[in-house]
Amino acid sequence: MAKMADGIPLLSASTQRTLADKLYEKRKNAAREVEAVIRGLVAQQDHDRISSLLSLLVNDFALSPQSNHRKQGGLIGLAAATMGLGSEAVQHLEKIIPPVLNSFTDQDSRVRYYACEALYNIAKVTRGDLVLFFNDIFDALCKLSADSEPSVQQAAHLLDRLVKDIVTESDQFSIEEFIPLLRERMNVLNPFVRQFLVGWITVLDSVPDIDMLGFLPDFLDGLFNMLSDSSHEIRQQADSALAEFLQEIKNAPSVDYGKMAEILVQRAASADEFTRLTSFTWLNEFVKLSGEQLVPYYADILGAILPAISDQEEKIRVVAKETNEELRTVKAEPAEGFDIGAVLVIARRELGSDWEATRLEALRWIALLLERHRTEVLSFLDDIFPALLSSLADTSDEVVCLVLEVQACIAGDAQHFHRLMVFLVHKFKIEQTLLEKRGTLALRRLCTLLDAERVYRELANIFEGEADLEFATTMVQALNLILLTAPELAEMRSLLKQSLLNPAGRDLFVSLSASWCHSAIATVSLCLLGQAYQHASAVIQALGESDINVNLLVQVDKLVRLLETPTFAYLRLQLLEPGRYPSLLKTLYGLLMLLPQQSAAFKILRTRLKTVPSQTFMHMQPSLPHTEFPGLSAIRRTASAGGYSQILSHIPTIQTSSTSEDGERSSDNINGPLGINFAAQLKQFEHMQHQHHLYQSQNKAPRRTLTPPPAQNGHHLSRTSDDLVLKLKLLVTCAIVINRVLRDSFLYDLFV
């Protein structure tokens, strides 16, 4: 028990006993006695005795491990002592405040309540001096704001209001010391704590001498986190606080946009719509207020904006699109911190987005960067080119067209043009579905953007040396079909029609013909387009030396139908002068002979040939060259080998001179007009077809056969006889077929 120097206790035994009484009124009376004693000691300026008495109240009462009544008595006693100290209390606050704050965490709610009451009374006396303990008091109040006991919450609320008044009046408050604690507490999820925190942020921001805006990056994330709170009141309070800060930012002369932009980008990916909308609203204002200052953060901002352009919420889409347009207007340079590589990474990533609008904007950004920083973008070509090629398989035609525009922009240089073509061919090679779905669109668009002749010459050069002959055939057939049908290639078709008259047309014809040899019918089509009918006839004749498969017949079918299109109108008109174009007739009849009689294409072509003036053709009979229709030479060889030479007498031939279409005597063994060596081209075609035959043989899977093992002894002769009979039947059948075809045409009269 604390005593005076003369042995008399500082507090009488009865006062100490009453201070720990169960009844509040008795404890209150004892507290008045404590206050009176303290006042007397203050009057005597006996601070040693004051310290002794305060130690008594703290150790024997407030921090007592015994009954809670002693704790309550100690708390009320400390408050009374503070009131007794008056202006002298500041000297003893380090003894008074800690035990009171310690009681805020007591298990007994009544102790916590009286701790609030005690600190309230202490605060009224000390006022501004209490600010020295602000962080500890704030931390204690933050915890009490979520207390489970309503009476404690109410008491804490009253204390909180008083402390706010004290802080707003004080010139001793240190915002620098407070911000770390505030930043730490902003992550708490309890709704009562959140209300407490927003309340303090709003109050401190209203104080002119406290620069909360300068420390906004420290607690901005916490405020945005509150926007998705389940409590409408908390969301409203957080939104109100953020709106006030945004207005201050607009009026502030200098703001650190960068740190806050990072926070906004993170919150822009929130699952909560309201949080996303607020984030993009802030980003939009930031870009408008200080786009140049945000240059180093462009990639991060763009990474948030591009997905939001396709957001399900219309308001977010509108703000995101507006922000995107604002970003595009800012002309940033690498010297200013603009990271082109990082922006390209974002754009490449968003090319894989599920949303068309986002993919389109990503492509527009790549195009914009190519326009402004071409050299830098091309240095990242290996990174973005695969993604651009993959985008050719996009389900959206608009996306594919924009991808092609970007690729065409990249291919402005000869080096990158060749690279684009090689990449494109490789992509078509490894993804057959891409060729089927987007091949035509891609090739036609590139022809429009990069000049059709340039594209075709480059592709022809690539396919001429293509090792995968099957793929080369497919590509050549596709290119040929586009050449014959696409409106974008009308000028190129017109040039090819002059192949025998114009040096430019000749060069184009020759540059294409080598790769076109991968497909027999594509070669024939090119010859028909270039009006090289004699060469076309020779190519068809060469087909008689090889197997006629289904794929070839399909291509013939397509060509026959194309002959009825406006592209070949000139060819159909030339049929009015069969005497001038005998090789044209021979070519068309050669195609007719390749087709099955029951096919639709056969009927179409036969109907067309029936319209050729027969009288005129009869008059020009002597000018037909000395040769045979395709397929007959093969029949003759087979018949001779089998000993059926008598059948050959029934197969007619046509004896003619060697007058060409232009009236000059020529042969396949010499150069055509303008120096086109058709003889060499025919050999090149035959060589390529031979290579295809070998390629198919090597890559053909072994087939099962139902042929029995070789017969022994006398059975061998029997099987040989059967083979001869089958060959004879085949030859007779071929003769009958040819006879029927000829009988249906006006040429029948020539053979009978």
Side-chain angles (χ1 to χ4, degrees):
M1 180 183 294
K3 297 182 180 180
M4 293 184 181
D6 54 6
I8 302 175
L10 294 173
L11 287 178
S12 64
S14 61
T15 300
Q16 294 184 40
R17 189 169 51 251
T18 305
L19 194 59
D21 197 275
K22 294 181 179 181
L23 297 177
Y24 173 73
E25 289 298 328
K26 289 184 178 182
R27 293 197 302 272
K28 189 175 181 180
N29 291 332
R32 291 193 181 100
E33 293 182 19
V34 171
E35 181 181 353
V37 171
I38 290 292
R39 286 185 186 277
L41 294 175
V42 170
Q44 299 172 14
Q45 289 295 303
D46 192 347
H47 290 285
D48 291 337
R49 294 179 181 179
I50 293 173
S51 296
S52 298
L53 181 53
L54 291 176
S55 297
L56 172 67
L57 294 173
V58 170
N59 298 323
D60 291 0
F61 289 89
L63 299 181
S64 173
Q66 300 177 16
S67 68
N68 290 330
H69 302 299
R70 292 187 67 83
K71 294 179 182 179
Q72 297 167 21
L75 291 170
I76 196 172
L78 287 171
T82 304
M83 287 187 284
L85 287 168
S87 60
E88 301 287 336
V90 65
Q91 302 178 37
H92 304 279
L93 285 180
E94 290 186 359
K95 283 189 175 182
I96 297 172
I97 298 298
V100 176
L101 294 178
N102 184 65
S103 299
F104 278 19
T105 58
D106 195 276
Q107 294 182 351
D108 191 338
S109 61
R110 288 174 297 176
V111 173
R112 298 196 299 273
Y113 176 85
Y114 286 113
C116 291
E117 182 184 75
L119 189 56
Y120 184 88
N121 292 324
I122 293 169
K124 284 197 301 183
V125 174
T126 57
R127 300 299 292 185
D129 295 328
L130 193 71
V131 173
L132 298 174
F133 300 89
F134 176 76
N135 278 12
D136 294 331
I137 295 173
F138 179 87
D139 192 33
L141 287 174
C142 185
K143 297 173 182 177
L144 284 181
S145 63
D147 198 280
S148 59
E149 180 60 40
S151 62
V152 176
Q153 279 193 2
Q154 185 177 5
H157 179 66
L158 292 174
L159 175 60
D160 179 55
R161 290 175 58 184
L162 177 60
V163 175
K164 285 176 181 175
D165 291 339
I166 293 172
V167 169
T168 55
E169 300 171 349
S170 175
D171 57 357
Q172 301 180 52
F173 177 73
S174 174
I175 185 66
E176 292 81 4
E177 295 179 4
F178 169 64
I179 288 298
L181 177 61
L182 176 62
R183 180 174 58 244
E184 181 183 347
R185 290 291 175 265
M186 290 298 289
N187 296 322
V188 178
L189 301 179
N190 187 281
F192 297 106
V193 175
R194 284 185 163 183
Q195 282 185 309
F196 171 80
L197 294 172
V198 175
W200 267 100
I201 291 173
T202 304
V203 168
L204 293 176
D205 186 48
S206 65
V207 180
D209 295 335
I210 299 177
D211 181 22
M212 286 294 284
L213 185 60
F215 295 95
L216 181 57
D218 291 286
F219 56 88
L220 181 63
D221 185 65
L223 282 175
F224 267 91
N225 195 25
M226 294 180 189
L227 292 176
S228 59
D229 195 276
S230 58
S231 170
H232 174 72
E233 185 177 357
I234 294 176
R235 293 198 304 271
Q236 192 173 31
Q237 289 178 354
D239 181 48
S240 178
L242 286 169
E244 183 64 30
F245 278 118
L246 184 58
Q247 188 60 43
E248 291 179 24
I249 290 173
K250 293 179 181 179
N251 300 327
S254 176
V255 177
D256 185 0
Y257 291 97
K259 289 184 179 180
M260 290 187 285
E262 294 178 350
I263 296 171
L264 296 175
V265 167
Q266 294 176 0
R267 286 298 164 186
S270 171
D272 180 66
E273 290 183 3
F274 186 55
T275 303
R276 294 202 306 276
L277 177 60
T278 308
S279 300
F280 286 116
T281 302
W282 275 59
L283 283 173
N284 187 28
E285 294 295 338
F286 278 20
V287 174
K288 291 179 180 178
L289 292 170
S290 182
E292 294 79 6
Q293 198 179 119
L294 292 174
V295 167
Y297 304 93
Y298 263 25
D300 295 334
I301 296 174
L302 190 64
I305 290 175
L306 289 181
I309 289 175
S310 304
D311 198 279
Q312 296 180 351
E313 179 62 39
E314 183 180 1
K315 292 181 180 179
I316 295 177
R317 293 198 302 271
V318 171
V319 178
K321 289 178 182 178
E322 182 180 341
T323 308
N324 182 58
E325 292 303 318
E326 289 289 341
L327 275 179
R328 290 169 62 88
T329 60
V330 180
K331 296 183 179 180
E333 297 296 333
E336 301 172 357
F338 182 46
D339 192 343
I340 295 175
V343 174
L344 286 174
V345 168
I346 296 298
R348 181 185 62 186
R349 183 190 72 192
E350 295 306 326
L351 285 178
S353 169
D354 294 335
W355 306 101
E356 179 183 353
T358 296
R359 299 195 298 273
L360 287 171
E361 285 304 321
L363 288 167
R364 292 188 181 107
W365 266 98
I366 296 176
L368 180 66
L369 292 177
L370 274 169
E371 179 184 341
R372 294 179 180 175
H373 310 283
R374 180 177 180 83
T375 304
E376 291 84 353
V377 172
L378 291 180
S379 66
F380 296 98
L381 192 58
D382 290 339
D383 297 327
I384 63 174
F385 219 91
L388 289 173
L389 289 175
S390 297
S391 296
L392 290 175
D394 199 283
T395 56
S396 167
D397 288 348
E398 188 176 358
V399 171
V400 174
C401 289
L402 191 52
V403 168
L404 293 169
E405 289 182 17
V406 173
Q407 291 177 339
C409 184
I410 294 174
D413 304 328
Q415 172 189 357
H416 295 108
F417 174 76
H418 174 73
R419 193 176 185 183
L420 168 63
M421 294 297 107
V422 172
F423 266 108
L424 187 63
V425 169
H426 178 70
K427 194 69 176 177
F428 285 152
K429 186 175 182 179
I430 61 177
E431 293 186 23
Q432 290 293 325
T433 55
L434 177 62
L435 176 61
E436 295 171 2
K437 294 180 180 179
R438 293 299 184 190
T440 301
L441 175 62
L443 293 171
R444 289 179 60 178
R445 189 62 180 164
L446 287 177
C447 286
T448 302
L449 297 169
L450 294 174
D451 180 61
E453 184 178 344
R454 184 186 180 195
V455 171
Y456 264 70
R457 284 178 181 271
E458 186 66 33
L459 290 175
N461 184 54
I462 294 173
F463 290 124
E464 184 177 356
E466 174 60 46
D468 188 343
L469 299 183
E470 184 177 353
F471 169 68
T473 301
T474 302
M475 283 300 303
V476 167
Q477 290 172 352
L479 288 169
N480 183 67
L481 184 61
I482 296 171
L483 174 63
L484 298 179
T485 59
E488 298 89 344
L489 277 71
E491 186 176 343
M492 186 172 167
R493 289 196 294 271
S494 298
L495 183 60
L496 282 171
K497 289 177 185 177
Q498 304 297 317
S499 298
L500 302 182
L501 305 174
N502 188 313
R506 175 202 60 194
D507 292 343
L508 179 58
F509 182 92
V510 172
S511 67
L512 297 183
S513 60
S515 58
W516 256 238
C517 288
H518 284 292
S519 171
I521 302 305
T523 302
V524 173
S525 302
L526 183 63
C527 292
L528 293 178
L529 194 58
Q531 303 189 58
Y533 301 135
Q534 192 170 348
H535 185 55
S537 176
V539 169
I540 293 177
Q541 265 191 283
L543 292 178
E545 310 295 331
S546 60
D547 294 335
I548 306 300
N549 54 38
V550 175
N551 291 333
L552 178 66
L553 293 178
V554 170
Q555 294 301 313
V556 175
D557 185 286
K558 290 181 179 180
L559 176 58
V560 169
R561 296 176 189 276
L562 286 171
L563 292 175
E564 298 298 318
T565 63
T567 299
F568 288 103
Y570 70 92
L571 183 148
R572 297 194 298 274
L573 291 174
Q574 289 174 351
L575 291 176
L576 295 174
E577 302 178 81
R580 185 178 177 185
Y581 304 101
S583 292
L584 171 59
L585 274 173
K586 185 177 179 182
T587 299
L588 297 181
Y589 270 102
L591 292 174
L592 187 70
M593 295 302 176
L594 295 176
L595 290 167
Q597 292 188 74
Q598 301 304 319
S599 66
F602 178 90
K603 297 174 182 178
I604 292 172
L605 184 55
R606 184 181 64 178
T607 302
R608 173 61 65 184
L609 290 173
K610 281 183 178 180
T611 62
V612 177
S614 58
Q615 290 297 328
T616 305
F617 184 76
M618 291 294 293
H619 291 314
M620 63 88 178
Q621 176 183 350
S623 64
L624 284 173
H626 177 66
T627 185
E628 297 176 331
F629 285 94
L632 297 185
S633 58
I635 295 174
R636 290 181 180 277
R637 285 194 302 274
T638 305
S640 299
Y644 306 113
S645 57
Q646 67 275 14
I647 298 178
L648 298 178
S649 61
H650 298 286
I651 301 179
T653 59
I654 302 176
Q655 302 290 337
T656 66
S657 65
S658 57
T659 304
S660 64
E661 283 83 350
D662 58 1
E664 298 180 0
R665 297 181 63 83
S666 64
S667 170
D668 282 342
N669 295 323
I670 63 174
N671 294 345
L674 291 176
I676 299 179
N677 192 339
F678 286 116
Q681 292 209 356
L682 182 60
K683 290 182 180 179
Q684 185 179 36
F685 170 78
E686 292 174 340
H687 174 72
M688 182 63 73
Q689 292 300 307
H690 178 67
Q691 294 297 320
H692 275 269
H693 179 72
L694 294 178
Y695 179 84
Q696 292 172 0
S697 300
Q698 294 171 0
N699 291 276
K700 188 180 299 182
R703 297 179 180 177
R704 293 184 179 180
T705 175
L706 298 178
T707 305
Q712 301 294 328
N713 302 328
H715 296 289
H716 177 71
L717 180 62
S718 176
R719 193 185 66 171
T720 303
S721 302
D722 291 341
D723 290 344
L724 293 175
V725 172
L726 288 174
K727 288 184 179 180
L728 179 61
K729 289 182 178 180
L730 176 62
L731 289 171
V732 173
T733 301
C734 290
I736 293 173
V737 169
I738 294 173
N739 186 53
R740 287 180 179 176
V741 173
L742 296 176
R743 182 172 43 188
D744 289 339
S745 68
F746 64 86
L747 286 177
Y748 178 73
D749 296 334
L750 296 176
F751 296 118
V752 293

